[in-house]
Amino acid sequence: MQKIISILVEDKPGVLMRIAGLFYRRGFNIDALSVGNTEIPGKSRFTITVNGDEAVLEQVRKQVQKLVNVHRTAEHDMDNSQLREYALIKIHFTEGTKTEILHLVDFFGGRVIDIFEGTAIVEIAEEQSRIDLLFARLEPYGILESLRTGKVSMFRGNRSLNQPPKLIKVSG
C-alpha cells in the first residue's frame, strides 16, 4: 500500500538523515521525497511517498513524530488532500511534429518553457496519472531527458499541517 506522509520540521542540518535513517532501519524504500521551505521562517516540509504494510508504516510515522526537530506528521490521501507532481520533459521536435507536441502539452495542462536547437522543455504540475499519460504520449516523439519531483500534497479545506489538530471537547 502506498502512503504519502508530510512532515513539518525545523530547518536544521541532520534532519533529513534522521528521517531517512528511520525508514532505512525499518526496511522501507522511499519512492519519492520532496523537501521545501514553508511560509513559516525556519520550518521545512517533507513529503515522503513510500510503499509498505499499513500498520508498520503508521508505526514509522509515529516514530518520526518523536524525532528531534520534527513538529508534526500527517498522512495524505485522495479524499483529504490535493496531490500533485511536477515534471520537466525535454523532447526533440521537427517542424513536422512541433504543432502535434504543443497540442499534446496543452491538452494535458503543461506548458513549454524553453525552445532551443530543435528541443523543447515542457513543464507540468498535475496528478501522477496525467503526467504518466503525457509521458506515454510524448515517448514516440523521443524524450531526451526528464525528471519528476514525486508527490507533494496539501490538505483540503481548513486543515493544515502547520496547525495542531483541534481537540474535540467531550462533555460528561
Side-chain angles (χ1 to χ4, degrees), residues 3-50:
K3 280 197 171 239
I4 297 129
I5 300 170
S6 286
I7 306 168
L8 183 67
V9 301
E10 291 178 40
D11 189 10
K12 302 248 176 166
V15 173
L16 172 61
M17 185 179 69
R18 283 191 288 278
I19 291 171
L22 191 66
F23 281 87
Y24 167 75
R25 287 190 298 278
R26 289 301 192 128
F28 290 110
N29 184 39
I30 294 174
D31 294 332
L33 170 67
S34 169
V35 184
N37 295 328
T38 69
E39 75 284 2
I40 305 168
K43 300 283 189 286
S44 293
R45 181 176 173 150
F46 287 68
T47 304
I48 297 175
T49 304
V50 62

Side-chain angles (χ1 to χ4, degrees), residues 105-120:
V105 169
D106 186 54
F107 176 78
F108 282 94
R111 70 183 188 119
V112 174
I113 60 171
D114 185 64
I115 293 179
F116 187 71
E117 296 180 348
T119 65

Side-chain angles (χ1 to χ4, degrees), residues 10-162:
E10 291 178 40
D11 189 10
K12 302 248 176 166
V15 173
L16 172 61
M17 185 179 69
R18 283 191 288 278
I19 291 171
L22 191 66
F23 281 87
Y24 167 75
R25 287 190 298 278
R26 289 301 192 128
F28 290 110
N29 184 39
I30 294 174
D31 294 332
L33 170 67
S34 169
V35 184
N37 295 328
T38 69
E39 75 284 2
I40 305 168
K43 300 283 189 286
S44 293
R45 181 176 173 150
F46 287 68
T47 304
I48 297 175
T49 304
V50 62
N51 281 296
D53 177 76
E54 187 170 350
V56 177
L57 282 171
E58 180 59 18
Q59 273 187 326
V60 171
R61 188 191 65 77
K62 288 178 179 174
Q63 289 176 347
V64 167
Q65 177 72 50
K66 295 176 185 174
L67 292 174
V68 174
N69 304 120
V70 172
H71 289 276
R72 198 163 293 116
T73 64
E75 182 183 337
H76 294 267
D77 60 42
M78 295 295 284
D79 295 330
N80 68 14
S81 304
Q82 285 291 327
L83 306 170
R84 291 289 184 271
E85 285 190 26
Y86 180 82
L88 291 175
I89 307 163
K90 185 188 294 181
I91 187 159
H92 174 75
F93 68 87
T94 64
E95 285 306 314
T97 61
K98 183 178 178 181
T99 302
E100 293 173 43
I101 291 170
L102 293 178
H103 283 296
L104 272 175
V105 169
D106 186 54
F107 176 78
F108 282 94
R111 70 183 188 119
V112 174
I113 60 171
D114 185 64
I115 293 179
F116 187 71
E117 296 180 348
T119 65
I121 298 176
V122 173
E123 74 172 356
I124 182 168
E126 259 298 343
E127 294 178 5
Q128 179 182 356
S129 61
R130 284 191 61 85
I131 293 176
D132 290 343
L133 286 172
L134 179 59
F135 268 82
R137 298 293 302 271
L138 290 177
E139 200 165 38
Y141 296 100
I143 294 173
L144 301 172
E145 184 177 8
S146 69
L147 67 87
R148 295 173 76 152
T149 61
K151 288 185 178 82
V152 292
S153 61
M154 186 171 281
F155 287 113
R156 300 174 74 205
N158 291 324
R159 185 175 175 191
S160 168
L161 185 64
N162 303 335

